[in-house]
Amino acid sequence: MSDAVTTEPMVAGLFHVAVKTNNLDATVAFYTRILGLRNGFRPDFGYPGAWLYVPLAGGPAILHIYAGGPALGAAGRAPAGTAAIDHVSLACRGYRGFVARFRQAGLEWREFLVPGTTLWQLFVYDPSGVQCELTFEGAVEEGEGPDMSPGRAYVAGASFFDPATYPSLG
């Protein structure tokens, strides 16, 4: 008999999400200025990028961004959009504050109330076309709930990303 401890395989959480980009400055600006993540330590991998952290003491690096080198596809550009991954969801607070940030930056967004729950959501795109879902506990948020009117309400599968009109954030 062995004294070795056998560990049952399991997933313990999401470590991070990685985003490829053609515009590192604008992408970092989106995630720091608009969403409020904190730019922090990133090892030198030999190509440009950023590690963005949860803005709490000891908060983990949850988003890795990289440009150039391995981010580039065969055509010499990073791919755009979320491809097979539909969106990245972040747990947030301060719903109305995020809406104000989107307006100030000139960003398009959509709103949603998850049926049968108190969850409020905002949907917005980063400069590379990655869709971000910000989820809030509506029971503790101030103000009115999500605007579910036509044109403002989120519709699953309906993209509203337009790279030609995306504001310059860099």
Side-chain angles (χ1 to χ4, degrees), residues 39-130:
N39 199 349
F41 171 76
R42 177 182 180 265
D44 183 0
F45 292 107
Y47 52 88
W51 280 12
L52 305 181
Y53 291 72
V54 171
L56 300 172
I62 62 168
L63 185 68
H64 296 182
I65 301 170
Y66 59 109
L72 305 180
R77 293 194 49 81
T82 50
I85 295 175
D86 184 68
H87 62 269
V88 174
S89 182
L90 302 169
C92 298
R93 62 180 182 225
Y95 190 91
R96 292 290 154 218
F98 279 104
V99 169
R101 287 181 184 176
F102 299 165
R103 277 196 180 107
Q104 184 176 19
L107 292 167
E108 286 292 323
W109 78 94
R110 298 294 182 267
E111 305 184 26
F112 194 68
L113 173 61
V114 179
T117 76
T118 56
L119 298 179
W120 299 0
Q121 296 179 321
L122 293 170
F123 290 83
V124 64
Y125 287 92
D126 82 356
S128 297
V130 174

Side-chain angles (χ1 to χ4, degrees), residues 9-33:
M10 66 177 270
V11 173
L14 180 64
F15 196 66
H16 70 264
V17 173
V19 173
K20 297 176 181 180
T21 186
N22 291 302
N23 190 334
L24 182 61
D25 290 342
T27 304
V28 169
F30 171 82
Y31 286 104
T32 58
R33 285 192 359 235

